[in-house]
Amino acid sequence: MLPIEAVRERFEALAAQFTPAADLTFQAVDAGGVPAEWTGPADVATEGVLLYFHGGGYCIGSIPAYREFTGRLAKAGRCRVLSVGYRLAPEHPFPAAVDDAVASYRWLRRQLGPQGSIVLGGDSAGGGLSLALLIALRDAGDRLPDGAFCLSPSTDLAKEGASMTSRAAVDPLITRESTTRFATFYLGEDGDPKHPLASPLYADHRGLPPLLILVGDCERLLDDSTRLAERARQAGVEVDIEVWDEMVHIWPFFASVIPEGAAAIERLAPFIRARLGRSAIG
């Protein structure tokens, strides 16, 4: 297998092909000791913020690689996005990413004040991190965000979902070997793959805010979403899950090249706006 540095370089080169819209602005900020970046159109219509965590198996991905995508989210939601550059494994194993997520959220909450609205978003590992953040905040007694959406979230680092096998022939992006390697980097050789802040599938979901989950039917992580949704519903959480036919892992990230990706972002827009308290705008 390629060294992790080479995998990162390949992903960054792929993402560099996607150019952000010209009417967006980007501003780096220190979010409670965590590197982050404000993204948004000039005509932002709300003080609410989408706090976004990128994917990459907790080992790859970056703020720059996601600029085109977070820019699309900002325009669709007509809101500011704070994109978080949490620390990556293996240099910074679990729970570094969770610690950074908590620190960035608390910083943002202080900036917005008591009336500010926050929605969480994330794809793949970032989706799992969003869920872990909700659990950590609830357990610590913090005020929770107003909702969260997850795109193809990674929720089970134990890899016990049946789709890891049943979708093997139709998933062109995810392999058991790659996900196991990244999970080991993140957890360490002796880490617990069912720790609730590493694998939110196994957490207590009571008291979490409304969730929207989009997942493709052609991805090995399908059951990470379907099982999470079912367990959260059993715990009384409001969950809306959509399984998109013939879609692969994190297909919305490729919105600039496939129409289904753009359609998925448009599907997210009313959820973001409604949870930020602006369902009547735009």
Side-chain angles (χ1 to χ4, degrees):
M1 289 187 178
L2 289 173
I4 190 62
E5 295 81 5
V7 179
R8 289 171 180 165
E9 289 175 3
R10 286 193 173 189
F11 181 75
E12 295 295 319
L14 169 66
Q17 301 176 44
F18 305 145
T19 304
D23 60 345
L24 293 167
T25 61
F26 302 93
Q27 180 183 0
V29 65
D30 182 324
V34 182
E37 184 175 81
W38 287 112
T39 301
D43 57 346
V44 167
T46 178
E47 289 301 314
V49 172
L50 167 58
L51 183 64
Y52 196 81
F53 300 97
H54 67 75
Y58 299 105
C59 296
I60 68 173
S62 68
I63 291 172
Y66 271 73
R67 279 184 183 137
E68 194 272 344
F69 183 64
T70 55
R72 284 178 177 268
L73 292 174
K75 290 169 74 74
R78 293 187 59 77
C79 64
R80 293 183 297 164
V81 175
L82 185 66
S83 181
V84 179
Y86 58 90
R87 288 171 290 172
L88 300 178
E91 297 89 343
H92 304 283
F94 175 80
V98 180
D99 291 343
D100 286 357
V102 171
S104 62
Y105 175 84
R106 287 176 174 166
W107 176 88
L108 178 58
R109 179 61 73 194
R110 291 193 296 271
Q111 306 310 303
L112 295 180
Q115 302 305 315
S117 298
I118 300 174
V119 168
L120 303 185
D123 63 286
S124 194
L129 184 55
S130 296
L131 294 165
L133 173 58
L134 291 176
I135 294 159
L137 293 172
R138 180 204 60 198
D139 290 350
D142 287 56
R143 175 183 168 184
L144 294 181
D146 299 278
F149 68 82
C150 303
L151 309 174
S152 304
S154 171
T155 71
D156 179 16
L157 297 187
K159 311 301 176 188
E160 293 186 350
S163 59
M164 284 297 295
T165 299
S166 66
R167 296 302 192 274
V170 294
D171 188 336
L173 298 177
I174 301 295
T175 67
R176 183 179 291 274
E177 292 74 20
S178 65
T179 57
T180 299
R181 182 192 187 203
F182 280 10
T184 301
F185 280 160
Y186 185 51
L187 296 171
E189 291 290 344
D190 300 319
D192 179 7
K194 293 187 177 182
H195 191 293
L197 296 184
S199 295
L201 174 67
Y202 302 102
D204 175 0
H205 302 123
R206 288 176 293 180
L208 300 189
L211 304 176
L212 172 62
I213 302 172
L214 304 187
V215 64
D217 187 54
C218 294
E219 56 175 300
R220 285 176 180 258
L221 296 190
L222 171 61
D223 285 355
D224 280 38
S225 290
T226 56
R227 290 179 297 153
L228 185 285
E230 179 58 29
R231 293 190 184 191
R233 282 185 183 135
Q234 291 176 357
V237 179
E238 178 184 335
V239 183
D240 188 359
I241 180 171
E242 297 182 3
V243 180
W244 286 48
D245 292 341
E246 300 182 355
M247 290 298 103
V248 297
H249 191 58
I250 64 165
W251 81 96
F253 180 77
F254 303 99
S256 63
V257 292
I258 60 172
E260 293 87 352
I265 292 177
E266 288 305 310
R267 170 63 184 92
L268 296 174
F271 177 84
I272 296 170
R273 297 180 187 181
R275 300 316 306 172
L276 292 180
R278 299 192 313 102
S279 58
I281 294 181

Short mmCIF file of all heavy atoms in Angstrom, two decimals, residues 202-225:
data_model
loop_
_atom_site.label_atom_id
_atom_site.label_comp_id
_atom_site.label_asym_id
_atom_site.label_seq_id
_atom_site.Cartn_x
_atom_site.Cartn_y
_atom_site.Cartn_z
N TYR A 202 -22.31 2.71 18.19
CA TYR A 202 -22.42 2.00 19.46
C TYR A 202 -22.70 2.92 20.64
O TYR A 202 -22.68 2.48 21.79
CB TYR A 202 -21.13 1.20 19.70
CG TYR A 202 -20.84 0.23 18.58
CD1 TYR A 202 -19.90 0.52 17.60
CD2 TYR A 202 -21.56 -0.97 18.47
CE1 TYR A 202 -19.64 -0.35 16.56
CE2 TYR A 202 -21.31 -1.84 17.43
CZ TYR A 202 -20.36 -1.53 16.48
OH TYR A 202 -20.13 -2.40 15.43
N ALA A 203 -22.97 4.17 20.37
CA ALA A 203 -23.22 5.15 21.44
C ALA A 203 -24.68 5.13 21.86
O ALA A 203 -25.56 4.58 21.19
CB ALA A 203 -22.84 6.55 20.96
N ASP A 204 -24.94 5.78 22.98
CA ASP A 204 -26.29 6.10 23.42
C ASP A 204 -26.71 7.35 22.66
O ASP A 204 -26.06 8.39 22.76
CB ASP A 204 -26.29 6.35 24.92
CG ASP A 204 -27.64 6.80 25.46
OD1 ASP A 204 -28.60 6.92 24.67
OD2 ASP A 204 -27.72 7.07 26.67
N HIS A 205 -27.78 7.29 21.88
CA HIS A 205 -28.18 8.41 21.03
C HIS A 205 -29.27 9.28 21.62
O HIS A 205 -29.73 10.23 20.96
CB HIS A 205 -28.64 7.87 19.67
CG HIS A 205 -27.61 7.05 18.97
ND1 HIS A 205 -27.83 5.74 18.58
CD2 HIS A 205 -26.33 7.34 18.62
CE1 HIS A 205 -26.75 5.26 18.00
NE2 HIS A 205 -25.82 6.21 18.03
N ARG A 206 -29.68 9.01 22.82
CA ARG A 206 -30.78 9.76 23.42
C ARG A 206 -30.43 11.24 23.53
O ARG A 206 -29.33 11.61 23.91
CB ARG A 206 -31.11 9.21 24.81
CG ARG A 206 -31.80 7.85 24.78
CD ARG A 206 -32.01 7.32 26.17
NE ARG A 206 -30.73 7.00 26.82
CZ ARG A 206 -30.62 6.51 28.05
NH1 ARG A 206 -31.71 6.31 28.78
NH2 ARG A 206 -29.43 6.24 28.56
N GLY A 207 -31.42 12.08 23.15
CA GLY A 207 -31.26 13.51 23.31
C GLY A 207 -30.55 14.23 22.19
O GLY A 207 -30.34 15.44 22.27
N LEU A 208 -30.20 13.52 21.12
CA LEU A 208 -29.51 14.17 20.01
C LEU A 208 -30.50 14.98 19.17
O LEU A 208 -31.69 14.65 19.10
CB LEU A 208 -28.80 13.14 19.14
CG LEU A 208 -27.72 12.28 19.81
CD1 LEU A 208 -26.97 11.47 18.76
CD2 LEU A 208 -26.76 13.13 20.63
N PRO A 209 -30.03 16.02 18.50
CA PRO A 209 -30.92 16.85 17.67
C PRO A 209 -31.28 16.14 16.37
O PRO A 209 -30.75 15.05 16.07
CB PRO A 209 -30.06 18.09 17.41
CG PRO A 209 -28.66 17.58 17.42
CD PRO A 209 -28.65 16.53 18.51
N PRO A 210 -32.16 16.71 15.56
CA PRO A 210 -32.57 16.07 14.30
C PRO A 210 -31.38 15.79 13.38
O PRO A 210 -30.45 16.59 13.26
CB PRO A 210 -33.51 17.11 13.68
CG PRO A 210 -34.08 17.83 14.85
CD PRO A 210 -32.95 17.93 15.83
N LEU A 211 -31.46 14.63 12.71
CA LEU A 211 -30.39 14.17 11.82
C LEU A 211 -30.94 13.94 10.42
O LEU A 211 -32.06 13.43 10.25
CB LEU A 211 -29.79 12.86 12.32
CG LEU A 211 -29.22 12.81 13.74
CD1 LEU A 211 -28.77 11.39 14.07
CD2 LEU A 211 -28.07 13.80 13.89
N LEU A 212 -30.14 14.31 9.42
CA LEU A 212 -30.41 13.97 8.03
C LEU A 212 -29.21 13.19 7.52
O LEU A 212 -28.07 13.66 7.63
CB LEU A 212 -30.63 15.22 7.19
CG LEU A 212 -30.72 15.01 5.67
CD1 LEU A 212 -31.92 14.12 5.31
CD2 LEU A 212 -30.80 16.35 4.93
N ILE A 213 -29.46 12.00 6.98
CA ILE A 213 -28.39 11.14 6.50
C ILE A 213 -28.64 10.81 5.03
O ILE A 213 -29.73 10.34 4.66
CB ILE A 213 -28.32 9.82 7.29
CG1 ILE A 213 -28.11 10.11 8.79
CG2 ILE A 213 -27.20 8.93 6.77
CD1 ILE A 213 -28.22 8.89 9.68
N LEU A 214 -27.65 11.08 4.19
CA LEU A 214 -27.68 10.67 2.79
C LEU A 214 -26.59 9.64 2.57
O LEU A 214 -25.44 9.85 2.95
CB LEU A 214 -27.45 11.87 1.86
CG LEU A 214 -28.37 13.08 1.97
CD1 LEU A 214 -28.08 14.07 0.85
CD2 LEU A 214 -29.83 12.67 1.97
N VAL A 215 -26.94 8.53 1.93
CA VAL A 215 -25.97 7.46 1.69
C VAL A 215 -26.30 6.81 0.35
O VAL A 215 -27.46 6.78 -0.08
CB VAL A 215 -26.01 6.42 2.84
CG1 VAL A 215 -27.36 5.73 2.92
CG2 VAL A 215 -24.88 5.41 2.72
N GLY A 216 -25.28 6.31 -0.33
CA GLY A 216 -25.47 5.66 -1.61
C GLY A 216 -25.76 4.18 -1.46
O GLY A 216 -25.26 3.52 -0.54
N ASP A 217 -26.55 3.64 -2.38
CA ASP A 217 -26.87 2.21 -2.34
C ASP A 217 -25.68 1.36 -2.77
O ASP A 217 -25.64 0.16 -2.47
CB ASP A 217 -28.06 1.93 -3.26
CG ASP A 217 -28.54 0.50 -3.14
OD1 ASP A 217 -28.82 0.07 -2.00
OD2 ASP A 217 -28.60 -0.20 -4.16
N CYS A 218 -24.70 1.96 -3.45
CA CYS A 218 -23.57 1.20 -3.97
C CYS A 218 -22.30 1.45 -3.15
O CYS A 218 -21.22 1.61 -3.70
CB CYS A 218 -23.31 1.54 -5.44
SG CYS A 218 -24.62 1.03 -6.55
N GLU A 219 -22.43 1.49 -1.84
CA GLU A 219 -21.23 1.70 -1.04
C GLU A 219 -21.17 0.74 0.14
O GLU A 219 -22.18 0.38 0.74
CB GLU A 219 -21.12 3.14 -0.57
CG GLU A 219 -22.27 3.72 0.21
CD GLU A 219 -21.94 5.13 0.70
OE1 GLU A 219 -20.96 5.26 1.45
OE2 GLU A 219 -22.65 6.07 0.33
N ARG A 220 -19.95 0.33 0.44
CA ARG A 220 -19.73 -0.61 1.53
C ARG A 220 -20.19 -0.07 2.88
O ARG A 220 -20.54 -0.84 3.78
CB ARG A 220 -18.24 -0.97 1.61
CG ARG A 220 -17.73 -1.92 0.53
CD ARG A 220 -16.23 -2.10 0.68
NE ARG A 220 -15.66 -2.99 -0.31
CZ ARG A 220 -15.31 -4.27 -0.08
NH1 ARG A 220 -15.52 -4.79 1.11
NH2 ARG A 220 -14.76 -5.00 -1.03
N LEU A 221 -20.19 1.24 3.03
CA LEU A 221 -20.59 1.83 4.31
C LEU A 221 -22.09 2.08 4.41
O LEU A 221 -22.55 2.78 5.31
CB LEU A 221 -19.84 3.15 4.54
CG LEU A 221 -18.32 3.07 4.68
CD1 LEU A 221 -17.76 4.41 5.15
CD2 LEU A 221 -17.89 1.96 5.63
N LEU A 222 -22.86 1.50 3.51
CA LEU A 222 -24.31 1.68 3.55
C LEU A 222 -24.88 1.35 4.92
O LEU A 222 -25.67 2.11 5.49
CB LEU A 222 -24.97 0.81 2.47
CG LEU A 222 -26.50 0.72 2.51
CD1 LEU A 222 -27.13 2.09 2.31
CD2 LEU A 222 -26.99 -0.27 1.44
N ASP A 223 -24.49 0.22 5.47
CA ASP A 223 -25.05 -0.21 6.75
C ASP A 223 -24.57 0.64 7.93
O ASP A 223 -25.19 0.62 8.99
CB ASP A 223 -24.74 -1.68 7.01
CG ASP A 223 -25.60 -2.61 6.16
OD1 ASP A 223 -26.49 -2.10 5.46
OD2 ASP A 223 -25.37 -3.84 6.19
N ASP A 224 -23.46 1.37 7.75
CA ASP A 224 -23.07 2.33 8.78
C ASP A 224 -24.16 3.37 8.97
O ASP A 224 -24.38 3.87 10.08
CB ASP A 224 -21.76 3.03 8.41
CG ASP A 224 -20.53 2.18 8.69
OD1 ASP A 224 -20.59 0.96 8.47
OD2 ASP A 224 -19.52 2.75 9.13
N SER A 225 -24.84 3.71 7.87
CA SER A 225 -25.91 4.70 7.92
C SER A 225 -27.23 4.09 8.36
O SER A 225 -27.92 4.63 9.23
CB SER A 225 -26.09 5.35 6.55
OG SER A 225 -25.01 6.19 6.23
#
